[in-house]
Amino acid sequence: MNLPIIRCCTGPSDGVFNHHACQNHQLVMDSIPADAHTREVFYVGGEYVDDGTGNETVYGQVYVEHLVPVRKPLQKYPIIFIPGSSRTGIDFLTTPANNDNNTNSPTQQSWSSHFLSLSHELYLIDPPFRGRSPWHPPTHLSSSSSSSPYLTFGAAPLQKAWATPPSSTQWPDSPPAGKGSPAFDHVMRSTHPQLANLAEEQSVAQKSLAALLDKIGKPAILLAHSMGCKIAWLLADARPGLVKAIVAVEPAGPAFQMRGMGGLRKEPTVFGLTEVRLGFEPAVGEGGEGLRRRLVKPGEEGLLECWLQDDEEAGEVRKLVNLRRVEVLVVTGEGSPHRGYDWGTVEFLRQAGVEGVEHLVLRGEAGGVLEGRGGGGNGHMMMLERNRGRIGEVLGEWVGRRV
């Protein structure tokens, strides 16, 4: 954006106060959209590897969009957006086509626009091997299909994933529809293949995004969604001095036995929250040895049992020492299957010594955080839903209060 330059408050050469110049400067500033920004793109991380033909290529680099608000002063902490499974940074920039077509309204504003309007510097990434972050053979990718239950966003296909069926009311297609409906097609068209090996993806992402934090050179806030939260935990573990807070929107979980939309996954999450070893004290083995667990009943009716560390027979609970001082907000939609088990992720973090963990369920009833803000009923992809701008406001308020 090219903006006029006005020399404010002094005359052309004598330094005398110029009231009219100041007024003109203010008029110009008032005419600038609240989310106006400059933009640069770059790649970070990756390493040279043999491509199998005797040549070298770069493996594991990450594409980054860097957005800097025009309005100053900037907030102290920049925000790094980390998308979920098969998704890219576009989820935080754009919105489904059939919303009410007023993307400048507070309700419809994307999360990136909202945080730019709060003067936060933003970094939006495409995780390794996805979107604009290149992949190279023999990298094995997996894809999401249109039959994947989470893409329908309705309650019916999700009932087997948790104890009490959710009531999802905020998805733009109402009732939730499949192929041919604008919001569904938006999601499918922006869905990318991703690395099939979760441990490899997380390990590479941890290294490349640690390089991004090093490049930024000051503490940042991580705003992560779903499987992207696994990267956030690992990043805070690798660079504890450069992660101020984590906003974990419906983090992949719960601990030890991750749930998908179709129920429990067969493969255990051996390091609790991630497939890559975290810095527990006392340390755990390469296969998670020493990290013992037990099944715990929820404290609220209608929720699911979750695994926590065994603090009874095992005696010693392993601590995530590098995450201890990181402020954490876990955000859950009341119309999402995560409502049944995000409590387990929260309690695992608290048990592991993460001191500043808060759990926010986006309720719309009287006294709920979304009362008078478009109501609750949010599902897993809340950053694309009707009231996404209001949720952005809630997240911004938490950042302003806790960080």
Side-chain angles (χ1 to χ4, degrees):
M1 177 180 289
N2 294 319
L3 300 174
I5 298 175
I6 297 179
R7 300 187 183 279
C8 178
C9 300
T10 62
S13 60
D14 57 8
V16 177
F17 179 80
N18 189 328
H19 176 71
H20 293 294
C22 284
Q23 284 186 318
N24 290 337
H25 176 79
Q26 189 60 50
L27 287 172
V28 171
M29 293 305 296
D30 290 345
S31 69
I32 297 173
D35 62 347
H37 60 275
T38 60
R39 174 178 176 266
E40 68 166 337
V41 300
F42 60 88
Y43 286 83
V44 69
E47 57 186 13
Y48 284 94
V49 298
D50 191 319
D51 67 359
T53 68
N55 296 312
E56 288 187 322
T57 188
V58 179
Y59 180 85
Q61 67 268 44
V62 166
Y63 171 88
V64 182
E65 289 195 31
H66 178 205
L67 310 182
V68 181
V70 169
R71 292 176 178 268
K72 304 293 190 295
L74 296 179
Q75 297 283 354
K76 184 176 181 180
Y77 301 107
I79 300 176
I80 301 174
F81 286 85
I82 307 174
S85 177
S86 300
R87 311 303 301 165
T88 66
I90 199 170
D91 281 348
F92 306 106
L93 285 168
T94 62
T95 56
N98 72 330
N99 277 213
D100 63 8
N101 297 320
N102 183 12
T103 56
N104 291 321
S105 75
T107 301
Q108 296 296 304
Q109 199 175 43
S110 71
W111 286 3
S112 61
S113 288
H114 178 69
F115 281 100
L116 284 167
S117 72
L118 297 178
S119 296
H120 281 280
E121 193 175 2
L122 308 183
Y123 296 84
L124 297 100
I125 66 110
D126 290 355
F129 319 113
R130 197 185 313 166
R132 290 158 292 189
S133 297
W135 67 276
H136 305 281
T139 305
H140 298 291
L141 304 179
S142 62
S143 300
S144 294
S145 72
S146 60
S147 61
S148 179
Y150 93 89
L151 289 175
T152 63
F153 301 102
L158 304 177
Q159 290 183 9
K160 60 183 177 180
W162 72 328
T164 304
S167 178
S168 179
T169 60
Q170 293 289 351
W171 186 244
D173 293 332
S174 185
K179 291 185 295 183
S181 61
F184 182 93
D185 288 349
H186 169 89
V187 172
M188 282 306 300
R189 288 168 180 151
S190 57
T191 296
H192 292 256
Q194 69 175 63
L195 199 63
N197 186 325
L198 293 180
E200 175 70 4
E201 180 182 67
Q202 291 166 33
S203 177
V204 173
Q206 182 188 38
K207 293 175 184 176
S208 292
L209 291 181
L212 175 59
L213 282 173
D214 293 341
K215 179 181 176 68
I216 294 170
K218 61 181 178 180
I221 298 164
L222 310 180
L223 196 160
H225 175 238
S226 193
M227 292 287 279
C229 296
K230 290 176 176 282
I231 299 172
W233 310 133
L234 288 164
L235 192 53
D237 191 50
R239 294 290 188 275
L242 292 177
V243 175
K244 182 65 178 177
I246 298 174
V247 177
V249 180
E250 301 221 324
F256 295 112
Q257 194 77 54
M258 191 166 59
R259 286 184 176 270
M261 295 300 120
L264 284 172
R265 298 201 178 190
K266 293 180 180 178
E267 303 82 8
T269 309
V270 294
F271 299 106
L273 299 178
T274 62
E275 280 71 24
V276 174
R277 183 161 46 172
L278 289 160
F280 287 97
E281 283 191 7
V284 301
E286 291 185 2
E289 297 86 0
L291 199 59
R292 300 183 63 179
R293 61 181 183 170
R294 67 183 179 92
L295 197 59
V296 178
K297 294 184 180 298
E300 180 180 336
E301 186 177 352
L303 304 185
L304 294 169
E305 292 182 328
C306 292
W307 293 96
L308 298 178
Q309 289 191 62
D310 186 353
D311 56 359
E312 294 180 351
E313 292 186 15
E316 191 171 39
V317 172
R318 313 290 169 128
K319 301 295 185 180
L320 291 170
V321 292
N322 290 333
L323 275 69
R324 180 175 295 161
R325 304 296 184 190
V326 177
E327 297 286 340
V328 176
L329 176 67
V330 174
V331 183
T332 304
E334 67 175 350
S336 167
H338 275 253
R339 180 69 184 94
Y341 55 81
D342 274 357
W343 74 269
T345 299
V346 171
E347 291 306 316
F348 178 88
L349 289 166
R350 289 172 175 163
Q351 186 186 45
V354 185
E355 297 173 356
V357 183
E358 185 176 341
H359 188 196
L360 176 64
V361 179
L362 297 171
R363 296 186 175 92
E365 72 270 16
V369 71
L370 290 179
E371 180 188 6
R373 289 179 161 181
N378 288 100
H380 188 54
M381 298 291 288
M382 62 185 70
M383 75 290 293
L384 301 180
E385 295 189 311
R386 290 191 185 99
N387 62 342
R388 60 183 172 270
R390 296 305 188 190
I391 297 173
E393 291 176 355
V394 170
L395 303 185
E397 290 165 5
W398 182 86
V399 168
R401 184 175 69 251
R402 291 287 296 272
V403 178

